[in-house]
Amino acid sequence: LKELAGKYTDKLKKRVAPVQVSLNWVRAKGAIPLAGVKTEAQARELVEASKWELDEADVRELDDVALATYGKRGKIAQLLKK
């Protein structure tokens, strides 16, 4: 996530946090991310995350990581097909 955050920081010319990458991956899977917010800074990060999307190759990379990490637990393979 940190690697992709750095990539998108360079690409978008503004700071991208790993949580923003995570939220965009969830959105790319067709789900609505629900994130807890405790500070104004966290709220701003969430809003900024909604202003851009991950490239398809990056979505696939995160899919592969999720499958390798959680594939044997539950229904992750089914979720990644969406």
Side-chain angles (χ1 to χ4, degrees):
L1 292 175
K2 287 181 185 178
E3 227 176 81
L4 287 176
K7 173 184 173 179
Y8 283 90
T9 292
D10 293 343
K11 182 177 178 177
L12 300 172
K13 308 275 191 263
K14 61 182 176 181
R15 182 184 174 278
V16 171
V19 69
Q20 292 172 307
V21 174
S22 297
L23 291 168
N24 273 298
W25 179 68
V26 171
R27 287 180 37 227
K29 304 315 299 171
I32 299 171
L34 300 175
V37 176
K38 294 182 180 179
T39 67
E40 185 177 331
Q42 289 174 334
R44 284 191 186 129
E45 281 186 340
L46 295 179
V47 170
E48 288 300 315
S50 69
K51 295 180 180 179
W52 57 274
E53 295 178 354
L54 292 170
D55 296 335
E56 293 226 6
D58 295 327
V59 172
R60 285 192 302 273
E61 180 181 343
L62 291 172
D63 288 350
D64 291 344
V65 170
L67 191 56
T69 305
Y70 301 106
K72 295 179 181 175
R73 302 183 210 165
K75 298 181 179 181
I76 193 75
Q78 287 178 301
L79 293 173
L80 294 178
K81 290 180 184 177
K82 293 181 179 182

